């Protein structure tokens, strides 16, 4: 009954049309009529439309900033079955935007936390939790059990994998993204003209040019807006109506308060995922290798320096305790250094080191005391920018100084040395 949303015609692996078969759908209960009464009064929905929603299954990949509002509104609207995919656990940094979670579910698996919240909203919906990672080996098998797929992920490998698997399984994909004050939305693989993600981006972006919420930040209301619009697209598809952003992309500028649409290219006949002769099959590719980044939302740890060119937080604490002469250079942006920094740290952002007068400032500071300072340490948020700064300083300053970075940065300092230092 929940799988009555079906393909009418297949073109390659693209979807040409969707049709709801209501013959075997159950009728609405008295409770259903009361709960969904305001929807039932809409001409475009009515009883038959509500039955279509009840007969539809939706898989939400990611129970985070986008998946939270999307799942809430789909559950509230009466979607029959909702699958919740997320392998992470709820952290306090999630709560400003991931509204399906709460302080009471900190440390809980996100899929379980989401189910708990959604059940309190609408217990008549069937919820399925998938708390393990979506991978190349299980993605198609999981996706093919649902009618509509929602991508709420935050990294390129997962986006490619979910899009490819949706193509193989013949499912429409409603995809959203949010970063800082900006958001975007499109529906992929809806009919023979609608592209998949790979049609638009056949090659992955350079890993060094990609920023996620963990690094770039996001205002919580932005994914709230985009996730709500994703729910609206899903509801339209479930009702048998064309989604607004199939063949178009919505761009939202939250700072300027502006929405604009752009027309995107049609399905590419030579696309390896949804083209006339696709080569992407159930045996999906290695997406981490393809994109050069891991299948997760966390920042990638760089390995630029050799172990002997780095110092642990514990060893640096000993240097502080022994009052050894040195400089500690915090290379995070000033915005981050203003949140929290070590008392003895001097903030010289990485950009200033590489493109400005940062190195000259370090030399001036090292020579400003009665005795020249020869030991210089670099620290950042997680240990990536500090490695870049240290390597650049080594190449520029030569052998004049002993230059090292602090492994793990401020995050490790909080975890290993001083738990009173906040982590962001």
């Amino acid at each position: 009954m929940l799988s009555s949303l079906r393909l009418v015609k297949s073109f390659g692996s693209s979807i040409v049309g969707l049709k709801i078969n209501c013959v075997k759908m159950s009728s609405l209960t008295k409770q259903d009529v009361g709960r969904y009464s305001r929807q039932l009064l809409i001409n475009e929905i009515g009883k038959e439309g509500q039955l279509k929603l009840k007969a539809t299954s939706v898989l939400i990949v990611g129970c985070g900033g986008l998946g939270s509002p999307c799942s809430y509104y789909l559950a509230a609207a009466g979607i029959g079955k909702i699958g919740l995919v997320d392998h992470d656990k709820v952290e306090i940094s999630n709560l400003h935007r991931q509204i399906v979670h709460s302080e009471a579910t900190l440390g809980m698996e996100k899929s379980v936390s989401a189910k708990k919240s959604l059940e309190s909203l609408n217990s008549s919906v069937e919820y399925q939790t998938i708390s393990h990672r979506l991978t190349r080996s299980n993605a198609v098998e999981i996706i093919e059990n649902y009618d509509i797929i929602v991508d709420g992920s935050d990294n390129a490998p997962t986006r490619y994998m979910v899009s490819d698997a949706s193509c193989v399984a013949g499912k429409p994909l409603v995809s959203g993204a949010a970063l800082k004050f900006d958001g975007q939305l499109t529906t992929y693989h809806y009919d023979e003209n609608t592209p998949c993600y790979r049609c638009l981006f056949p090659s992955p972006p350079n890993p060094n040019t990609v920023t996620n919420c963990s690094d770039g930040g996001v205002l919580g209301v932005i994914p709230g807006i985009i996730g709500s619009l994703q729910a609206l697209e899903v509801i339209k598809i479930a009702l048998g109506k064309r989604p607004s952003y199939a063949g178009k992309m919505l761009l939202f500028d939250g700072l300027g308060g502006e929405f604009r649409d752009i027309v995107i290219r049609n399905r590419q006949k030579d696309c390896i995922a949804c083209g006339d002769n696709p080569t992407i099959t159930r045996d999906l590719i290695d997406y981490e290798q393809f994109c050069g980044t891991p299948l997760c939302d966390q920042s990638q740890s760089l390995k630029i320096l050799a172990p002997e060119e780095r110092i642990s937080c514990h060893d640096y604490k000993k240097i502080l305790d022994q009052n050894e002469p040195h400089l500690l250079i915090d290379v995070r942006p000033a915005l981050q250094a203003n949140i929290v920094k070590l008392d003895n740290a001097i903030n010289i952002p990485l950009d200033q080191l590489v493109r400005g007068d940062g190195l000259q400032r370090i030399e001036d500071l090292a020579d400003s005391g009665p005795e020249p300072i020869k030991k210089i340490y670099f620290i950042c948020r997680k240990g990536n920018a500090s490695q870049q700064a240290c390597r650049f300083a080594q190449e520029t300053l030569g052998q004049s100084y002993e230059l090292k970075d602090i492994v793990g940065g401020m995050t490790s300092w909080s975890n290993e040395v001083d738990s009173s230092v906040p982590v962001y």
Side-chain angles (χ1 to χ4, degrees), residues 278-409:
T279 57
I280 296 288
T281 65
R282 294 181 69 90
D283 185 18
L284 300 177
I285 67 172
D286 185 332
Y287 294 93
E288 292 185 331
Q289 183 182 54
F290 177 65
C291 295
T293 54
L295 273 167
C296 65
D297 299 343
Q298 302 300 316
S299 302
Q300 186 176 13
S301 296
L302 300 181
K303 295 182 180 179
I304 297 174
L305 302 178
E308 61 271 18
E309 298 173 295
R310 314 191 72 188
I311 185 172
S312 70
C313 290
H314 288 294
D315 286 342
Y316 180 68
K317 178 65 164 56
K318 293 176 183 178
I319 289 173
L320 284 180
D321 292 341
Q322 295 169 4
N323 291 318
E324 292 185 20
H326 72 280
L327 291 178
L328 176 63
I329 308 300
D330 189 328
V331 299
R332 295 173 297 156
L335 176 72
Q336 295 185 29
N338 285 336
I339 297 173
V340 59
K341 74 179 187 68
L342 299 187
D343 292 339
N344 63 314
I346 301 165
N347 181 224
I348 304 178
L350 179 61
D351 282 350
Q352 187 178 342
L353 282 177
V354 175
R355 300 182 182 90
D357 63 349
L359 287 181
Q360 184 60 55
R361 281 189 62 195
I362 290 175
E363 289 185 290
D364 292 343
L365 288 167
D367 293 335
S368 61
E371 295 291 334
I373 294 175
K374 295 299 182 182
K375 293 184 178 182
I376 300 173
Y377 302 102
F378 297 91
I379 192 169
C380 65
R381 183 185 179 191
K382 296 181 179 179
N384 288 339
S386 59
Q387 290 186 74
Q388 294 173 309
C390 186
R391 175 63 77 224
F392 180 76
Q394 289 171 342
E395 293 173 349
T396 307
L397 299 178
Q399 304 299 317
S400 302
Y401 303 92
E402 179 185 323
L403 304 164
K404 293 186 178 183
D405 98 299
I406 298 177
V407 178

Side-chain angles (χ1 to χ4, degrees), residues 197-321:
Y197 184 72
R198 194 180 283 276
C199 287
L200 299 188
F201 309 104
S203 300
N206 185 319
N208 295 325
T209 66
V210 177
T211 302
N212 58 26
C213 295
S214 178
D215 293 329
V218 63
L219 181 65
V221 71
I222 303 299
I225 292 169
I226 299 301
S228 297
L229 289 171
Q230 285 180 282
L232 180 58
E233 288 284 273
V234 169
I235 289 171
K236 289 176 183 177
I237 297 172
L239 292 172
K241 301 183 182 302
R242 183 177 179 85
S244 300
Y245 297 102
K248 294 191 298 184
M249 182 175 289
L250 170 69
L251 302 178
F252 175 56
D253 173 6
L255 197 58
E258 296 178 342
F259 290 89
R260 66 188 180 97
D261 300 342
I262 59 172
V263 177
I264 56 180
R265 67 167 69 182
N266 286 341
R267 180 183 70 90
Q268 301 297 290
K269 294 183 178 181
D270 60 350
C271 176
I272 64 173
C274 73
D276 292 351
N277 298 291
T279 57
I280 296 288
T281 65
R282 294 181 69 90
D283 185 18
L284 300 177
I285 67 172
D286 185 332
Y287 294 93
E288 292 185 331
Q289 183 182 54
F290 177 65
C291 295
T293 54
L295 273 167
C296 65
D297 299 343
Q298 302 300 316
S299 302
Q300 186 176 13
S301 296
L302 300 181
K303 295 182 180 179
I304 297 174
L305 302 178
E308 61 271 18
E309 298 173 295
R310 314 191 72 188
I311 185 172
S312 70
C313 290
H314 288 294
D315 286 342
Y316 180 68
K317 178 65 164 56
K318 293 176 183 178
I319 289 173
L320 284 180
D321 292 341

Side-chain angles (χ1 to χ4, degrees), residues 47-282:
K47 177 182 177 181
E48 293 304 313
Q50 192 63 52
L51 287 170
K52 290 177 181 180
L53 297 179
K54 191 174 183 179
T56 299
S57 60
V58 179
L59 181 71
I60 300 176
V61 180
C63 301
L66 297 167
S68 288
C70 185
S71 62
Y72 253 126
Y73 278 109
L74 292 180
I79 290 293
K81 181 173 76 171
I82 299 176
L84 303 163
V85 181
D86 206 307
H87 69 280
D88 281 339
K89 295 184 178 180
V90 181
E91 300 177 356
I92 196 166
S93 63
N94 302 145
L95 300 185
H96 89 289
R97 67 194 185 282
Q98 299 181 18
I99 58 172
V100 79
H101 311 300
S102 68
E103 292 181 358
T105 62
L106 287 172
M108 186 180 294
E109 292 176 336
K110 284 187 178 179
S111 61
V112 177
S113 170
K115 179 183 178 182
K116 183 181 178 71
S117 296
L118 297 176
E119 282 181 331
S120 68
L121 174 67
N122 191 347
S123 60
S124 66
V125 174
E126 178 186 352
Y127 302 102
Q128 294 185 339
T129 59
I130 302 168
S131 297
H132 52 268
R133 193 188 298 273
L134 208 65
T135 67
R136 58 183 293 193
S137 61
N138 65 22
V140 175
E141 181 181 0
I142 292 173
I143 283 173
E144 65 187 359
N145 291 316
Y146 295 84
D147 300 318
I148 305 168
I149 313 304
V150 173
D151 183 3
S153 64
D154 188 28
N155 62 87
T158 301
R159 289 189 183 279
Y160 277 103
M161 179 175 62
V162 172
S163 178
D164 287 354
S166 296
C167 288
V168 172
K171 309 293 182 178
L173 173 65
V174 181
S175 179
L179 185 68
K180 298 183 179 179
F181 278 91
D182 301 319
Q184 67 181 47
L185 166 74
T186 192
T187 294
Y188 293 116
H189 195 239
Y190 175 72
D191 57 24
E192 76 272 19
N193 293 318
T194 308
C196 71
Y197 184 72
R198 194 180 283 276
C199 287
L200 299 188
F201 309 104
S203 300
N206 185 319
N208 295 325
T209 66
V210 177
T211 302
N212 58 26
C213 295
S214 178
D215 293 329
V218 63
L219 181 65
V221 71
I222 303 299
I225 292 169
I226 299 301
S228 297
L229 289 171
Q230 285 180 282
L232 180 58
E233 288 284 273
V234 169
I235 289 171
K236 289 176 183 177
I237 297 172
L239 292 172
K241 301 183 182 302
R242 183 177 179 85
S244 300
Y245 297 102
K248 294 191 298 184
M249 182 175 289
L250 170 69
L251 302 178
F252 175 56
D253 173 6
L255 197 58
E258 296 178 342
F259 290 89
R260 66 188 180 97
D261 300 342
I262 59 172
V263 177
I264 56 180
R265 67 167 69 182
N266 286 341
R267 180 183 70 90
Q268 301 297 290
K269 294 183 178 181
D270 60 350
C271 176
I272 64 173
C274 73
D276 292 351
N277 298 291
T279 57
I280 296 288
T281 65
R282 294 181 69 90

